[in-house]
Amino acid sequence: MGNFHSKTEFANRLNAALDQLDWQAKGRAKQLKVFYEQNGCVLSEKTFQKWLSGQSYPDWDHLYYL
């Protein structure tokens, strides 16, 4: 990402992308956790909650799976 955006903007884009995939808003962090685990990457549900709420960004290694 050459142009870094705010964590809130990232969260908004991530949630919009998941909306387009018809993922339910409730339980999204858990859905992301399951998706990541299916692709061989284990992270805590709290990590995904932080991404979805704009508290943090994924690092490059984890961004790959999105």
Side-chain angles (χ1 to χ4, degrees), residues 2-62:
N3 182 11
F4 289 94
H5 298 278
S6 76
K7 293 173 187 171
T8 301
E9 289 172 339
F10 173 81
N12 289 341
R13 290 191 313 273
L14 177 57
N15 279 295
L18 296 174
D19 286 342
Q20 289 180 346
L21 294 172
D22 292 327
W23 283 32
Q24 294 180 4
K26 184 174 182 179
R28 260 191 193 163
K30 186 171 183 110
Q31 293 174 67
L32 276 170
K33 181 177 175 18
V34 169
F35 174 80
Y36 265 68
E37 287 174 350
Q38 290 172 345
N39 287 286
C41 185
V42 178
L43 296 170
S44 72
E45 192 171 326
K46 180 118 178 129
T47 298
F48 298 108
Q49 289 172 344
K50 288 181 178 182
W51 296 357
L52 291 164
S53 67
Q55 294 177 15
S56 70
Y57 292 116
D59 63 24
W60 289 108
D61 293 339
H62 300 128

